[in-house]
Amino acid sequence: MLFFPNLEYFLQGQVHILLREPLRNSSKPAHSKTAIRIAKVCRLVLAEVVRDEVEENLLLHAERLPALNADQLIEDYRHLIELANPEIIPYPDKDLVRLNRHLIRHAADVPVLMSAMASKPDWLLIHNTKHFTHAVAQRTSLRIATPAELFRALSALFR
């Protein structure tokens, strides 16, 4: 299992991860760690709008670190993205964003929501449950959960 201590703040912040239907062609035996098992059966989908926001925040955070730590933070992030090999979802059309403004309370969240809807994920993982509510989930037919909720649900499957 890989651990990126320099990305801890990223993982505790607003994480927007979309998971598509699990990959079913894995014939390797299950590992003992739930996270490794989940990584082998899930496909990460990353919206460009989210990637850009994360990278902007990462650079802002890195500016406050000593140079070596900042370089390591950026390298750890690049390595994480490389390992995850996410499917990238492009920015939604501006007209689509404008027309669907009614789906969520905060305008800044509409592009994220449109990207999620376009990718048709099994799960939209996000810590921002104040904005991405059960009502939003019902209006969009998305399964919205925190990463912890997903891991609890999936770990139960691997017991």
Side-chain angles (χ1 to χ4, degrees):
M1 178 186 297
L2 296 172
F3 177 62
F4 294 92
N6 291 336
L7 292 177
E8 186 174 326
Y9 84 94
F10 165 72
L11 296 173
Q12 292 173 356
Q14 283 194 4
V15 177
H16 304 52
I17 299 173
L18 312 174
L19 289 175
R20 275 236 175 102
E21 184 173 334
L23 302 173
R24 305 220 190 279
N25 60 357
S26 177
S27 59
K28 294 183 179 179
H31 294 279
S32 61
K33 300 286 186 189
T34 300
I36 293 173
R37 292 176 186 168
I38 292 169
K40 288 187 173 284
V41 299
C42 294
R43 174 79 175 126
L44 178 68
V45 180
L46 179 61
E48 281 184 331
V49 64
V50 172
R51 183 195 60 201
D52 289 351
E53 181 182 343
V54 167
E55 289 176 2
E56 181 181 322
N57 288 326
L58 191 68
L59 290 173
L60 289 172
H61 180 73
E63 287 176 355
R64 297 188 301 263
L65 296 173
L68 288 176
N69 291 10
D71 290 346
Q72 186 62 54
L73 175 67
I74 301 301
E75 184 55 36
D76 286 350
Y77 170 76
R78 285 190 183 127
H79 188 65
L80 174 65
I81 295 301
E82 180 182 315
L83 289 174
N85 190 27
E87 176 183 337
I88 303 297
I89 302 300
Y91 273 86
D93 180 75
K94 290 181 182 182
D95 288 335
L96 183 66
V97 171
R98 185 180 44 76
L99 289 172
N100 287 283
R101 173 63 187 93
H102 67 282
L103 292 175
I104 194 161
R105 184 171 32 157
H106 288 85
D109 294 328
V110 178
V112 173
L113 191 61
M114 293 297 94
S115 295
M117 292 172 67
S119 71
K120 297 177 176 51
D122 290 312
W123 296 81
L124 167 58
L125 301 184
I126 193 159
H127 285 290
N128 185 356
T129 56
K130 277 187 161 182
H131 299 172
F132 289 79
T133 63
H134 292 291
V136 171
Q138 289 177 334
R139 285 193 290 270
T140 61
S141 299
L142 290 170
R143 185 186 302 170
I144 299 173
T146 65
E149 290 168 333
L150 170 74
F151 278 95
R152 277 194 296 274
L154 293 180
S155 68
L157 297 174
F158 292 109
R159 287 188 185 142

